[in-house]
Amino acid sequence: EAQVTQNPRYLITVTGKKLTVTCSQNMNHEYMSWYRQDPGLGLRQIYYSMNVEVTDKGDVPEGYKVSRKEKRNFPLILESPSPNQTSLYFCATRRVNTDTQYFGPGTRLTVL
Amino acid sequence: DQQVKQNSPSLSVQEGRISILNCDYTNSMFDYFLWYKKYPAEGPTFLISISSIKDKNEDGRFTVFLNKSAKHLSLHIVPSQPGDSAVYFCAASRIVIQGAQKLVFGQGTRLTINP
């Protein structure tokens, strides 16, 4: 079954405590990206990756890092989380040169 | 700068009637448009799309219309069913570099179908 998985699904943490949200896909898609969803703002892209070792900033990259060491995994790293990073995060994948993205189930992050 | 706008945060429709969700965009470089549907506690799922060279695309109960001169697209659902109750996101795509397409989403419209 084609899947995009994210872990954890829910996380409550405190300001400044480093955290990683993992994303994994089994569809062999080259393109992966991270979005955050906030009320009234829709989905905004944080970072994306065209393939292994190729990453670039999206629209709201400040405070986030990513890495793409393997094709199937694209973790999102918050080195020093702040309350304004409280949000619902989605990982998405697609095959290069196609438009349809497949989304993970989401990670709800609360930073106190 | 919101390049893709869904001006109606919510919409309520009677079961069996037509639901019309609207979306406006500002960037004429967008060449592909998509609608995603999102249920609570799930990620968005692809619903239907349309290329900028077309003005209509139909898939079962779902039809997307594109008016390029007005920079406007709409999603029609006929007939509406209770299972259609969800948040609908409009998205627009453009090529930024070879093989890389940037997807920009609207704010979403919450559709509620009343029995």
Side-chain angles (χ1 to χ4, degrees), chain A residues 9-10 31 35 37 40-43 45 48 50 58-59 88 90 94 96-101 103-105, chain B residues 2 32 34 36 38 41-46 89 93 96-108:
Chain A
R9 293 290 312 278
Y10 303 90
Y31 185 96
Y35 293 87
Q37 182 191 350
L41 296 175
L43 290 149
Q45 191 179 55
Y48 66 93
M50 293 289 296
D59 297 316
L88 180 58
F90 290 101
R94 65 171 168 80
V96 169
N97 293 327
T98 65
D99 287 279
T100 304
Q101 294 201 70
F103 285 83
Chain B
Q2 192 78 26
Y32 205 77
L34 307 93
Y36 280 82
K38 184 184 178 304
E42 295 182 12
T45 55
F46 170 74
F89 289 100
S93 169
V96 290
I97 58 173
Q98 181 64 33
Q101 289 153 297
K102 183 173 178 62
L103 203 58
V104 181
F105 285 85
Q107 305 97 312

mmCIF file of all heavy atoms in Angstrom, chain A residues 9-10 31 35 37 40-43 45 48 50 58-59 88 90 94 96-101 103-105, chain B residues 2 32 34 36 38 41-46 89 93 96-108:
data_model
loop_
_atom_site.group_PDB
_atom_site.id
_atom_site.type_symbol
_atom_site.label_atom_id
_atom_site.label_comp_id
_atom_site.label_asym_id
_atom_site.label_seq_id
_atom_site.Cartn_x
_atom_site.Cartn_y
_atom_site.Cartn_z
ATOM 1 N N ARG A 9 2.691 11.728 15.700
ATOM 2 C CA ARG A 9 1.467 12.356 15.221
ATOM 3 C C ARG A 9 1.102 13.567 16.091
ATOM 4 O O ARG A 9 0.516 14.533 15.604
ATOM 5 C CB ARG A 9 0.312 11.356 15.238
ATOM 6 C CG ARG A 9 0.453 10.205 14.249
ATOM 7 C CD ARG A 9 0.300 10.675 12.805
ATOM 8 N NE ARG A 9 -0.868 11.518 12.606
ATOM 9 C CZ ARG A 9 -2.102 11.051 12.438
ATOM 10 N NH1 ARG A 9 -2.332 9.752 12.438
ATOM 11 N NH2 ARG A 9 -3.111 11.887 12.261
ATOM 12 N N TYR A 10 1.452 13.498 17.340
ATOM 13 C CA TYR A 10 1.174 14.593 18.267
ATOM 14 C C TYR A 10 2.396 14.800 19.145
ATOM 15 O O TYR A 10 3.026 13.834 19.576
ATOM 16 C CB TYR A 10 -0.038 14.266 19.163
ATOM 17 C CG TYR A 10 -1.295 13.958 18.403
ATOM 18 C CD1 TYR A 10 -1.606 12.659 18.026
ATOM 19 C CD2 TYR A 10 -2.168 14.981 18.058
ATOM 20 C CE1 TYR A 10 -2.753 12.380 17.311
ATOM 21 C CE2 TYR A 10 -3.324 14.712 17.345
ATOM 22 C CZ TYR A 10 -3.608 13.409 16.973
ATOM 23 O OH TYR A 10 -4.749 13.145 16.272
ATOM 24 N N TYR A 31 10.477 13.665 -5.153
ATOM 25 C CA TYR A 31 10.187 14.962 -4.556
ATOM 26 C C TYR A 31 9.472 14.789 -3.226
ATOM 27 O O TYR A 31 8.473 14.070 -3.128
ATOM 28 C CB TYR A 31 9.305 15.757 -5.521
ATOM 29 C CG TYR A 31 9.000 17.170 -5.113
ATOM 30 C CD1 TYR A 31 9.760 18.232 -5.591
ATOM 31 C CD2 TYR A 31 7.922 17.460 -4.274
ATOM 32 C CE1 TYR A 31 9.470 19.538 -5.233
ATOM 33 C CE2 TYR A 31 7.628 18.756 -3.915
ATOM 34 C CZ TYR A 31 8.390 19.794 -4.409
ATOM 35 O OH TYR A 31 8.106 21.085 -4.050
ATOM 36 N N TYR A 35 5.039 21.034 4.807
ATOM 37 C CA TYR A 35 4.125 22.160 4.882
ATOM 38 C C TYR A 35 3.692 22.347 6.329
ATOM 39 O O TYR A 35 3.671 21.407 7.115
ATOM 40 C CB TYR A 35 2.863 21.913 4.054
ATOM 41 C CG TYR A 35 3.074 21.840 2.570
ATOM 42 C CD1 TYR A 35 3.419 20.645 1.949
ATOM 43 C CD2 TYR A 35 2.895 22.965 1.776
ATOM 44 C CE1 TYR A 35 3.601 20.579 0.578
ATOM 45 C CE2 TYR A 35 3.063 22.905 0.397
ATOM 46 C CZ TYR A 35 3.418 21.701 -0.179
ATOM 47 O OH TYR A 35 3.587 21.645 -1.541
ATOM 48 N N GLN A 37 0.248 23.994 8.346
ATOM 49 C CA GLN A 37 -1.108 24.493 8.156
ATOM 50 C C GLN A 37 -1.506 25.318 9.366
ATOM 51 O O GLN A 37 -1.478 24.830 10.503
ATOM 52 C CB GLN A 37 -2.107 23.353 7.965
ATOM 53 C CG GLN A 37 -3.524 23.851 7.707
ATOM 54 C CD GLN A 37 -4.566 22.756 7.778
ATOM 55 O OE1 GLN A 37 -4.242 21.564 7.840
ATOM 56 N NE2 GLN A 37 -5.826 23.141 7.761
ATOM 57 N N GLY A 40 -6.552 30.209 8.658
ATOM 58 C CA GLY A 40 -6.611 31.402 7.822
ATOM 59 C C GLY A 40 -5.449 31.563 6.851
ATOM 60 O O GLY A 40 -5.444 32.492 6.048
ATOM 61 N N LEU A 41 -4.469 30.665 6.930
ATOM 62 C CA LEU A 41 -3.288 30.783 6.062
ATOM 63 C C LEU A 41 -3.126 29.597 5.129
ATOM 64 O O LEU A 41 -2.255 29.608 4.257
ATOM 65 C CB LEU A 41 -2.025 30.930 6.918
ATOM 66 C CG LEU A 41 -1.955 32.191 7.773
ATOM 67 C CD1 LEU A 41 -0.726 32.157 8.673
ATOM 68 C CD2 LEU A 41 -1.936 33.436 6.900
ATOM 69 N N GLY A 42 -3.922 28.574 5.295
ATOM 70 C CA GLY A 42 -3.802 27.408 4.435
ATOM 71 C C GLY A 42 -2.521 26.644 4.680
ATOM 72 O O GLY A 42 -1.962 26.646 5.781
ATOM 73 N N LEU A 43 -2.025 26.008 3.645
ATOM 74 C CA LEU A 43 -0.795 25.220 3.716
ATOM 75 C C LEU A 43 0.352 26.042 3.131
ATOM 76 O O LEU A 43 0.274 26.503 2.000
ATOM 77 C CB LEU A 43 -0.943 23.933 2.918
ATOM 78 C CG LEU A 43 -1.895 22.904 3.511
ATOM 79 C CD1 LEU A 43 -2.551 22.091 2.417
ATOM 80 C CD2 LEU A 43 -1.131 21.998 4.461
ATOM 81 N N GLN A 45 4.548 26.096 2.360
ATOM 82 C CA GLN A 45 5.682 25.195 2.205
ATOM 83 C C GLN A 45 6.874 25.671 3.030
ATOM 84 O O GLN A 45 7.268 26.841 2.973
ATOM 85 C CB GLN A 45 6.073 25.104 0.735
ATOM 86 C CG GLN A 45 7.073 23.999 0.436
ATOM 87 C CD GLN A 45 7.414 23.937 -1.031
ATOM 88 O OE1 GLN A 45 7.830 24.922 -1.626
ATOM 89 N NE2 GLN A 45 7.230 22.773 -1.631
ATOM 90 N N TYR A 48 11.623 21.864 0.637
ATOM 91 C CA TYR A 48 11.371 20.773 -0.272
ATOM 92 C C TYR A 48 12.682 20.141 -0.713
ATOM 93 O O TYR A 48 13.762 20.735 -0.550
ATOM 94 C CB TYR A 48 10.540 21.217 -1.486
ATOM 95 C CG TYR A 48 11.225 22.188 -2.425
ATOM 96 C CD1 TYR A 48 11.930 21.723 -3.534
ATOM 97 C CD2 TYR A 48 11.132 23.559 -2.216
ATOM 98 C CE1 TYR A 48 12.532 22.611 -4.412
ATOM 99 C CE2 TYR A 48 11.736 24.443 -3.082
ATOM 100 C CZ TYR A 48 12.428 23.975 -4.183
ATOM 101 O OH TYR A 48 13.041 24.856 -5.044
ATOM 102 N N MET A 50 14.285 17.843 -4.050
ATOM 103 C CA MET A 50 14.093 17.264 -5.380
ATOM 104 C C MET A 50 14.596 15.831 -5.461
ATOM 105 O O MET A 50 14.150 15.069 -6.306
ATOM 106 C CB MET A 50 14.835 18.105 -6.416
ATOM 107 C CG MET A 50 14.256 19.484 -6.608
ATOM 108 S SD MET A 50 12.686 19.377 -7.463
ATOM 109 C CE MET A 50 13.229 18.725 -9.032
ATOM 110 N N GLY A 58 11.406 26.656 1.117
ATOM 111 C CA GLY A 58 10.089 27.002 0.621
ATOM 112 C C GLY A 58 9.758 28.435 1.010
ATOM 113 O O GLY A 58 10.637 29.296 1.042
ATOM 114 N N ASP A 59 8.506 28.671 1.375
ATOM 115 C CA ASP A 59 8.069 30.028 1.686
ATOM 116 C C ASP A 59 8.329 30.446 3.132
ATOM 117 O O ASP A 59 8.468 31.633 3.417
ATOM 118 C CB ASP A 59 6.568 30.162 1.398
ATOM 119 C CG ASP A 59 6.258 29.959 -0.071
ATOM 120 O OD1 ASP A 59 6.998 30.526 -0.895
ATOM 121 O OD2 ASP A 59 5.303 29.231 -0.384
ATOM 122 N N LEU A 88 0.189 22.587 12.605
ATOM 123 C CA LEU A 88 -0.058 21.251 12.075
ATOM 124 C C LEU A 88 0.853 21.069 10.872
ATOM 125 O O LEU A 88 0.814 21.869 9.932
ATOM 126 C CB LEU A 88 -1.529 21.113 11.674
ATOM 127 C CG LEU A 88 -2.002 19.783 11.089
ATOM 128 C CD1 LEU A 88 -1.727 18.640 12.067
ATOM 129 C CD2 LEU A 88 -3.489 19.861 10.786
ATOM 130 N N PHE A 90 2.559 18.845 7.710
ATOM 131 C CA PHE A 90 2.333 17.775 6.758
ATOM 132 C C PHE A 90 3.567 17.559 5.895
ATOM 133 O O PHE A 90 4.160 18.506 5.383
ATOM 134 C CB PHE A 90 1.157 18.093 5.834
ATOM 135 C CG PHE A 90 -0.171 18.067 6.520
ATOM 136 C CD1 PHE A 90 -0.778 19.254 6.886
ATOM 137 C CD2 PHE A 90 -0.799 16.866 6.791
ATOM 138 C CE1 PHE A 90 -2.010 19.251 7.530
ATOM 139 C CE2 PHE A 90 -2.031 16.854 7.434
ATOM 140 C CZ PHE A 90 -2.622 18.041 7.806
ATOM 141 N N ARG A 94 5.794 13.464 -4.192
ATOM 142 C CA ARG A 94 5.264 13.264 -5.541
ATOM 143 C C ARG A 94 6.404 12.856 -6.457
ATOM 144 O O ARG A 94 7.575 13.050 -6.137
ATOM 145 C CB ARG A 94 4.595 14.535 -6.088
ATOM 146 C CG ARG A 94 5.502 15.707 -6.306
ATOM 147 C CD ARG A 94 4.763 16.826 -7.046
ATOM 148 N NE ARG A 94 5.511 18.057 -7.038
ATOM 149 C CZ ARG A 94 6.528 18.331 -7.852
ATOM 150 N NH1 ARG A 94 6.921 17.458 -8.735
ATOM 151 N NH2 ARG A 94 7.136 19.503 -7.776
ATOM 152 N N VAL A 96 8.635 13.428 -9.670
ATOM 153 C CA VAL A 96 9.077 14.622 -10.393
ATOM 154 C C VAL A 96 8.322 14.733 -11.709
ATOM 155 O O VAL A 96 8.007 13.735 -12.347
ATOM 156 C CB VAL A 96 10.605 14.546 -10.652
ATOM 157 C CG1 VAL A 96 11.050 15.618 -11.623
ATOM 158 C CG2 VAL A 96 11.356 14.711 -9.349
ATOM 159 N N ASN A 97 7.975 15.955 -12.075
ATOM 160 C CA ASN A 97 7.244 16.255 -13.317
ATOM 161 C C ASN A 97 5.791 15.786 -13.290
ATOM 162 O O ASN A 97 5.164 15.639 -14.334
ATOM 163 C CB ASN A 97 7.951 15.690 -14.549
ATOM 164 C CG ASN A 97 9.275 16.376 -14.806
ATOM 165 O OD1 ASN A 97 9.426 17.562 -14.525
ATOM 166 N ND2 ASN A 97 10.237 15.635 -15.304
ATOM 167 N N THR A 98 5.286 15.539 -12.106
ATOM 168 C CA THR A 98 3.846 15.366 -11.921
ATOM 169 C C THR A 98 3.394 16.399 -10.898
ATOM 170 O O THR A 98 4.210 16.979 -10.186
ATOM 171 C CB THR A 98 3.477 13.966 -11.405
ATOM 172 O OG1 THR A 98 4.013 13.792 -10.088
ATOM 173 C CG2 THR A 98 4.022 12.885 -12.321
ATOM 174 N N ASP A 99 2.103 16.651 -10.833
ATOM 175 C CA ASP A 99 1.594 17.695 -9.948
ATOM 176 C C ASP A 99 0.895 17.152 -8.711
ATOM 177 O O ASP A 99 0.696 17.874 -7.749
ATOM 178 C CB ASP A 99 0.633 18.603 -10.705
ATOM 179 C CG ASP A 99 1.352 19.506 -11.677
ATOM 180 O OD1 ASP A 99 1.883 20.544 -11.229
ATOM 181 O OD2 ASP A 99 1.400 19.153 -12.860
ATOM 182 N N THR A 100 0.498 15.905 -8.731
ATOM 183 C CA THR A 100 -0.289 15.371 -7.627
ATOM 184 C C THR A 100 0.615 14.981 -6.481
ATOM 185 O O THR A 100 1.484 14.121 -6.620
ATOM 186 C CB THR A 100 -1.090 14.145 -8.087
ATOM 187 O OG1 THR A 100 -1.894 14.517 -9.202
ATOM 188 C CG2 THR A 100 -1.972 13.641 -6.949
ATOM 189 N N GLN A 101 0.402 15.635 -5.332
ATOM 190 C CA GLN A 101 1.177 15.298 -4.143
ATOM 191 C C GLN A 101 0.374 14.375 -3.241
ATOM 192 O O GLN A 101 -0.849 14.457 -3.169
ATOM 193 C CB GLN A 101 1.527 16.572 -3.370
ATOM 194 C CG GLN A 101 2.457 17.485 -4.141
ATOM 195 C CD GLN A 101 3.189 18.447 -3.231
ATOM 196 O OE1 GLN A 101 4.054 18.048 -2.457
ATOM 197 N NE2 GLN A 101 2.857 19.710 -3.320
ATOM 198 N N PHE A 103 -0.024 13.273 0.665
ATOM 199 C CA PHE A 103 0.275 13.832 1.980
ATOM 200 C C PHE A 103 0.275 12.762 3.065
ATOM 201 O O PHE A 103 -0.486 11.793 3.007
ATOM 202 C CB PHE A 103 -0.764 14.894 2.348
ATOM 203 C CG PHE A 103 -0.579 16.188 1.617
ATOM 204 C CD1 PHE A 103 -1.067 16.367 0.342
ATOM 205 C CD2 PHE A 103 0.111 17.233 2.220
ATOM 206 C CE1 PHE A 103 -0.887 17.567 -0.331
ATOM 207 C CE2 PHE A 103 0.297 18.442 1.564
ATOM 208 C CZ PHE A 103 -0.209 18.609 0.286
ATOM 209 N N GLY A 104 1.127 12.992 4.060
ATOM 210 C CA GLY A 104 1.082 12.192 5.270
ATOM 211 C C GLY A 104 -0.100 12.613 6.127
ATOM 212 O O GLY A 104 -0.809 13.566 5.797
ATOM 213 N N PRO A 105 -0.300 11.932 7.264
ATOM 214 C CA PRO A 105 -1.474 12.182 8.105
ATOM 215 C C PRO A 105 -1.359 13.432 8.968
ATOM 216 O O PRO A 105 -2.347 13.861 9.556
ATOM 217 C CB PRO A 105 -1.544 10.933 8.987
ATOM 218 C CG PRO A 105 -0.127 10.461 9.064
ATOM 219 C CD PRO A 105 0.487 10.794 7.740
ATOM 220 N N GLN B 2 -0.810 36.738 -0.611
ATOM 221 C CA GLN B 2 -1.548 35.503 -0.825
ATOM 222 C C GLN B 2 -1.826 35.376 -2.310
ATOM 223 O O GLN B 2 -2.709 36.056 -2.840
ATOM 224 C CB GLN B 2 -2.852 35.553 -0.002
ATOM 225 C CG GLN B 2 -3.588 34.255 0.099
ATOM 226 C CD GLN B 2 -2.975 33.298 1.107
ATOM 227 O OE1 GLN B 2 -2.324 33.706 2.050
ATOM 228 N NE2 GLN B 2 -3.179 32.016 0.889
ATOM 229 N N TYR B 32 -1.147 25.017 -13.700
ATOM 230 C CA TYR B 32 -1.877 23.804 -13.330
ATOM 231 C C TYR B 32 -2.565 24.088 -12.012
ATOM 232 O O TYR B 32 -1.980 24.732 -11.130
ATOM 233 C CB TYR B 32 -0.895 22.646 -13.188
ATOM 234 C CG TYR B 32 -1.495 21.283 -13.386
ATOM 235 C CD1 TYR B 32 -1.788 20.806 -14.661
ATOM 236 C CD2 TYR B 32 -1.752 20.456 -12.298
ATOM 237 C CE1 TYR B 32 -2.329 19.559 -14.846
ATOM 238 C CE2 TYR B 32 -2.293 19.199 -12.479
ATOM 239 C CZ TYR B 32 -2.581 18.753 -13.755
ATOM 240 O OH TYR B 32 -3.118 17.513 -13.944
ATOM 241 N N LEU B 34 -5.205 22.529 -8.825
ATOM 242 C CA LEU B 34 -5.658 21.296 -8.189
ATOM 243 C C LEU B 34 -6.600 21.622 -7.039
ATOM 244 O O LEU B 34 -6.524 22.698 -6.445
ATOM 245 C CB LEU B 34 -4.454 20.512 -7.619
ATOM 246 C CG LEU B 34 -3.298 20.209 -8.555
ATOM 247 C CD1 LEU B 34 -2.222 21.287 -8.467
ATOM 248 C CD2 LEU B 34 -2.682 18.856 -8.205
ATOM 249 N N TYR B 36 -7.744 19.817 -3.363
ATOM 250 C CA TYR B 36 -7.499 18.788 -2.375
ATOM 251 C C TYR B 36 -8.623 18.839 -1.357
ATOM 252 O O TYR B 36 -9.155 19.891 -1.033
ATOM 253 C CB TYR B 36 -6.159 19.012 -1.661
ATOM 254 C CG TYR B 36 -4.956 18.557 -2.439
ATOM 255 C CD1 TYR B 36 -4.394 19.369 -3.430
ATOM 256 C CD2 TYR B 36 -4.380 17.321 -2.191
ATOM 257 C CE1 TYR B 36 -3.287 18.936 -4.144
ATOM 258 C CE2 TYR B 36 -3.270 16.892 -2.899
ATOM 259 C CZ TYR B 36 -2.737 17.709 -3.874
ATOM 260 O OH TYR B 36 -1.639 17.282 -4.583
ATOM 261 N N LYS B 38 -9.737 17.591 2.597
ATOM 262 C CA LYS B 38 -9.118 17.197 3.865
ATOM 263 C C LYS B 38 -10.177 16.917 4.915
ATOM 264 O O LYS B 38 -10.975 17.800 5.254
ATOM 265 C CB LYS B 38 -8.157 18.287 4.344
ATOM 266 C CG LYS B 38 -7.414 17.883 5.605
ATOM 267 C CD LYS B 38 -6.547 18.995 6.112
ATOM 268 C CE LYS B 38 -5.847 18.574 7.400
ATOM 269 N NZ LYS B 38 -6.774 18.131 8.454
ATOM 270 N N ALA B 41 -8.020 15.143 11.133
ATOM 271 C CA ALA B 41 -7.019 14.157 11.559
ATOM 272 C C ALA B 41 -6.428 13.355 10.398
ATOM 273 O O ALA B 41 -5.843 12.287 10.607
ATOM 274 C CB ALA B 41 -7.581 13.211 12.614
ATOM 275 N N GLU B 42 -6.593 13.843 9.180
ATOM 276 C CA GLU B 42 -5.980 13.191 8.028
ATOM 277 C C GLU B 42 -5.244 14.226 7.189
ATOM 278 O O GLU B 42 -5.525 15.426 7.287
ATOM 279 C CB GLU B 42 -7.039 12.510 7.157
ATOM 280 C CG GLU B 42 -7.751 11.358 7.830
ATOM 281 C CD GLU B 42 -8.751 10.696 6.895
ATOM 282 O OE1 GLU B 42 -8.721 10.976 5.685
ATOM 283 O OE2 GLU B 42 -9.558 9.895 7.392
ATOM 284 N N GLY B 43 -4.329 13.749 6.341
ATOM 285 C CA GLY B 43 -3.692 14.657 5.409
ATOM 286 C C GLY B 43 -4.602 14.950 4.231
ATOM 287 O O GLY B 43 -5.549 14.214 3.962
ATOM 288 N N PRO B 44 -4.352 16.053 3.505
ATOM 289 C CA PRO B 44 -5.138 16.353 2.307
ATOM 290 C C PRO B 44 -4.996 15.237 1.277
ATOM 291 O O PRO B 44 -3.937 14.621 1.150
ATOM 292 C CB PRO B 44 -4.511 17.652 1.790
ATOM 293 C CG PRO B 44 -3.805 18.240 2.962
ATOM 294 C CD PRO B 44 -3.335 17.079 3.777
ATOM 295 N N THR B 45 -6.063 14.991 0.544
ATOM 296 C CA THR B 45 -6.021 14.014 -0.550
ATOM 297 C C THR B 45 -6.431 14.693 -1.847
ATOM 298 O O THR B 45 -7.334 15.537 -1.864
ATOM 299 C CB THR B 45 -6.937 12.808 -0.291
ATOM 300 O OG1 THR B 45 -8.259 13.285 -0.043
ATOM 301 C CG2 THR B 45 -6.471 12.000 0.890
ATOM 302 N N PHE B 46 -5.765 14.305 -2.911
ATOM 303 C CA PHE B 46 -6.019 14.894 -4.218
ATOM 304 C C PHE B 46 -7.437 14.567 -4.679
ATOM 305 O O PHE B 46 -7.904 13.438 -4.553
ATOM 306 C CB PHE B 46 -4.996 14.365 -5.220
ATOM 307 C CG PHE B 46 -5.307 14.710 -6.645
ATOM 308 C CD1 PHE B 46 -5.110 16.001 -7.104
ATOM 309 C CD2 PHE B 46 -5.810 13.751 -7.514
ATOM 310 C CE1 PHE B 46 -5.400 16.317 -8.416
ATOM 311 C CE2 PHE B 46 -6.098 14.057 -8.822
ATOM 312 C CZ PHE B 46 -5.900 15.350 -9.278
ATOM 313 N N PHE B 89 -9.086 22.538 -0.247
ATOM 314 C CA PHE B 89 -8.005 23.469 -0.569
ATOM 315 C C PHE B 89 -7.838 23.555 -2.071
ATOM 316 O O PHE B 89 -7.742 22.545 -2.764
ATOM 317 C CB PHE B 89 -6.682 22.994 0.041
ATOM 318 C CG PHE B 89 -6.612 23.109 1.530
ATOM 319 C CD1 PHE B 89 -6.822 22.001 2.344
ATOM 320 C CD2 PHE B 89 -6.319 24.317 2.137
ATOM 321 C CE1 PHE B 89 -6.751 22.102 3.724
ATOM 322 C CE2 PHE B 89 -6.244 24.437 3.515
ATOM 323 C CZ PHE B 89 -6.463 23.322 4.303
ATOM 324 N N SER B 93 -0.048 25.590 -9.384
ATOM 325 C CA SER B 93 1.301 25.092 -9.590
ATOM 326 C C SER B 93 1.995 25.853 -10.723
ATOM 327 O O SER B 93 1.355 26.225 -11.709
ATOM 328 C CB SER B 93 1.230 23.606 -9.939
ATOM 329 O OG SER B 93 2.466 23.114 -10.384
ATOM 330 N N VAL B 96 9.322 26.173 -11.377
ATOM 331 C CA VAL B 96 10.319 27.139 -10.915
ATOM 332 C C VAL B 96 11.688 26.862 -11.545
ATOM 333 O O VAL B 96 12.405 27.760 -11.935
ATOM 334 C CB VAL B 96 10.409 27.182 -9.378
ATOM 335 C CG1 VAL B 96 9.143 27.804 -8.809
ATOM 336 C CG2 VAL B 96 10.589 25.810 -8.771
ATOM 337 N N ILE B 97 12.076 25.608 -11.603
ATOM 338 C CA ILE B 97 13.264 25.199 -12.346
ATOM 339 C C ILE B 97 12.932 23.859 -12.980
ATOM 340 O O ILE B 97 11.893 23.271 -12.681
ATOM 341 C CB ILE B 97 14.519 25.060 -11.447
ATOM 342 C CG1 ILE B 97 14.271 24.058 -10.320
ATOM 343 C CG2 ILE B 97 14.975 26.393 -10.909
ATOM 344 C CD1 ILE B 97 15.509 23.736 -9.502
ATOM 345 N N GLN B 98 13.789 23.338 -13.817
ATOM 346 C CA GLN B 98 13.519 22.078 -14.508
ATOM 347 C C GLN B 98 13.151 20.983 -13.515
ATOM 348 O O GLN B 98 13.919 20.655 -12.621
ATOM 349 C CB GLN B 98 14.763 21.657 -15.291
ATOM 350 C CG GLN B 98 14.594 20.367 -16.073
ATOM 351 C CD GLN B 98 13.549 20.471 -17.172
ATOM 352 O OE1 GLN B 98 13.383 21.529 -17.768
ATOM 353 N NE2 GLN B 98 12.830 19.423 -17.408
ATOM 354 N N GLY B 99 11.960 20.452 -13.678
ATOM 355 C CA GLY B 99 11.507 19.362 -12.825
ATOM 356 C C GLY B 99 10.947 19.785 -11.496
ATOM 357 O O GLY B 99 10.382 18.973 -10.774
ATOM 358 N N ALA B 100 11.066 21.052 -11.151
ATOM 359 C CA ALA B 100 10.580 21.508 -9.847
ATOM 360 C C ALA B 100 9.363 22.378 -10.056
ATOM 361 O O ALA B 100 9.433 23.389 -10.745
ATOM 362 C CB ALA B 100 11.653 22.288 -9.114
ATOM 363 N N GLN B 101 8.258 21.955 -9.460
ATOM 364 C CA GLN B 101 7.039 22.727 -9.578
ATOM 365 C C GLN B 101 6.628 23.202 -8.199
ATOM 366 O O GLN B 101 6.531 22.418 -7.262
ATOM 367 C CB GLN B 101 5.946 21.863 -10.210
ATOM 368 C CG GLN B 101 6.210 21.600 -11.670
ATOM 369 C CD GLN B 101 5.591 20.313 -12.145
ATOM 370 O OE1 GLN B 101 5.967 19.250 -11.656
ATOM 371 N NE2 GLN B 101 4.672 20.396 -13.066
ATOM 372 N N LYS B 102 6.380 24.479 -8.084
ATOM 373 C CA LYS B 102 5.984 25.037 -6.795
ATOM 374 C C LYS B 102 4.472 25.025 -6.686
ATOM 375 O O LYS B 102 3.767 25.466 -7.604
ATOM 376 C CB LYS B 102 6.498 26.472 -6.664
ATOM 377 C CG LYS B 102 6.187 27.087 -5.305
ATOM 378 C CD LYS B 102 6.854 28.427 -5.172
ATOM 379 C CE LYS B 102 6.510 29.074 -3.849
ATOM 380 N NZ LYS B 102 6.991 28.265 -2.717
ATOM 381 N N LEU B 103 4.001 24.521 -5.574
ATOM 382 C CA LEU B 103 2.565 24.434 -5.332
ATOM 383 C C LEU B 103 2.190 25.450 -4.269
ATOM 384 O O LEU B 103 2.784 25.454 -3.189
ATOM 385 C CB LEU B 103 2.233 23.020 -4.859
ATOM 386 C CG LEU B 103 0.824 22.489 -5.039
ATOM 387 C CD1 LEU B 103 0.414 22.504 -6.489
ATOM 388 C CD2 LEU B 103 0.746 21.072 -4.492
ATOM 389 N N VAL B 104 1.246 26.301 -4.580
ATOM 390 C CA VAL B 104 0.783 27.321 -3.638
ATOM 391 C C VAL B 104 -0.670 27.036 -3.304
ATOM 392 O O VAL B 104 -1.507 26.884 -4.204
ATOM 393 C CB VAL B 104 0.918 28.736 -4.248
ATOM 394 C CG1 VAL B 104 0.440 29.782 -3.233
ATOM 395 C CG2 VAL B 104 2.355 29.010 -4.641
ATOM 396 N N PHE B 105 -0.981 26.986 -2.010
ATOM 397 C CA PHE B 105 -2.320 26.630 -1.552
ATOM 398 C C PHE B 105 -3.112 27.849 -1.116
ATOM 399 O O PHE B 105 -2.554 28.832 -0.619
ATOM 400 C CB PHE B 105 -2.227 25.671 -0.363
ATOM 401 C CG PHE B 105 -1.846 24.269 -0.736
ATOM 402 C CD1 PHE B 105 -0.520 23.910 -0.885
ATOM 403 C CD2 PHE B 105 -2.825 23.313 -0.933
ATOM 404 C CE1 PHE B 105 -0.170 22.619 -1.234
ATOM 405 C CE2 PHE B 105 -2.481 22.005 -1.280
ATOM 406 C CZ PHE B 105 -1.153 21.668 -1.428
ATOM 407 N N GLY B 106 -4.419 27.741 -1.265
ATOM 408 C CA GLY B 106 -5.335 28.716 -0.680
ATOM 409 C C GLY B 106 -5.564 28.402 0.787
ATOM 410 O O GLY B 106 -5.022 27.446 1.336
ATOM 411 N N GLN B 107 -6.413 29.227 1.420
ATOM 412 C CA GLN B 107 -6.619 29.102 2.867
ATOM 413 C C GLN B 107 -7.553 27.959 3.231
ATOM 414 O O GLN B 107 -7.619 27.542 4.382
ATOM 415 C CB GLN B 107 -7.203 30.407 3.433
ATOM 416 C CG GLN B 107 -6.389 31.642 3.112
ATOM 417 C CD GLN B 107 -6.946 32.366 1.908
ATOM 418 O OE1 GLN B 107 -7.223 31.758 0.874
ATOM 419 N NE2 GLN B 107 -7.104 33.670 2.024
ATOM 420 N N GLY B 108 -8.309 27.472 2.268
ATOM 421 C CA GLY B 108 -9.249 26.388 2.536
ATOM 422 C C GLY B 108 -10.669 26.895 2.754
ATOM 423 O O GLY B 108 -10.881 28.010 3.244
#
